[in-house]
Amino acid sequence: MILTTKQKQYLKGLAHHLNPVVMLGGNGLTEGVLAEIDNALNHHELIKVKVAGADRDTKQLIINAIVRETHAAEVQTIGHVLVLYRPSDEPKILLPRK
């Protein structure tokens, strides 16, 4: 999924007040964590995921794996917090036009 700059700005504004829904711990990215992220995306469409305790390269690999496995769009990454968006079957968030 490709988001335009305008759509990303809109989603960043919506995500600003959100707290991380899923937090990766010492075990890293497991099937259970991916299932939880997928479930949260189905329910909320826009979520934050906290990727703690990893160096920059490892963190980027984890983020790429999450985006690839969940088929979500990466809205932004600030520090250890990743913002993801994936529309559900019945969209709750109406994105601005491209």
Side-chain angles (χ1 to χ4, degrees):
M1 165 174 231
I2 305 295
L3 295 173
T4 64
T5 303
K6 189 175 183 180
Q7 291 170 332
K8 283 186 179 184
Q9 290 297 93
Y10 177 73
L11 291 171
K12 286 176 189 178
L14 292 177
H16 181 73
H17 74 280
L18 297 177
N19 291 322
V21 176
V22 179
M23 297 183 195
L24 271 73
N27 293 337
L29 189 61
T30 62
E31 291 294 323
V33 171
L34 278 173
E36 192 62 36
I37 292 171
D38 193 54
N39 188 27
L41 282 167
N42 287 337
H43 189 262
H44 299 290
E45 290 186 342
L46 183 67
I47 64 167
K48 285 185 177 179
V49 178
K50 186 166 186 176
V51 183
D55 63 39
R56 185 173 288 184
D57 295 333
T58 307
K59 183 174 69 170
Q60 192 57 50
L61 289 173
I62 291 170
I63 290 170
N64 293 342
I66 291 171
V67 170
R68 183 180 63 247
E69 295 296 322
T70 60
H71 306 290
E74 179 183 350
V75 177
Q76 81 179 128
T77 305
I78 297 178
H80 294 286
V81 179
L82 165 68
V83 179
L84 292 173
Y85 170 75
R86 185 180 70 195
S88 62
D89 295 335
E90 298 173 15
K92 299 175 182 110
I93 299 173
L94 184 62
L95 290 177
R97 293 185 186 267
K98 295 185 178 186

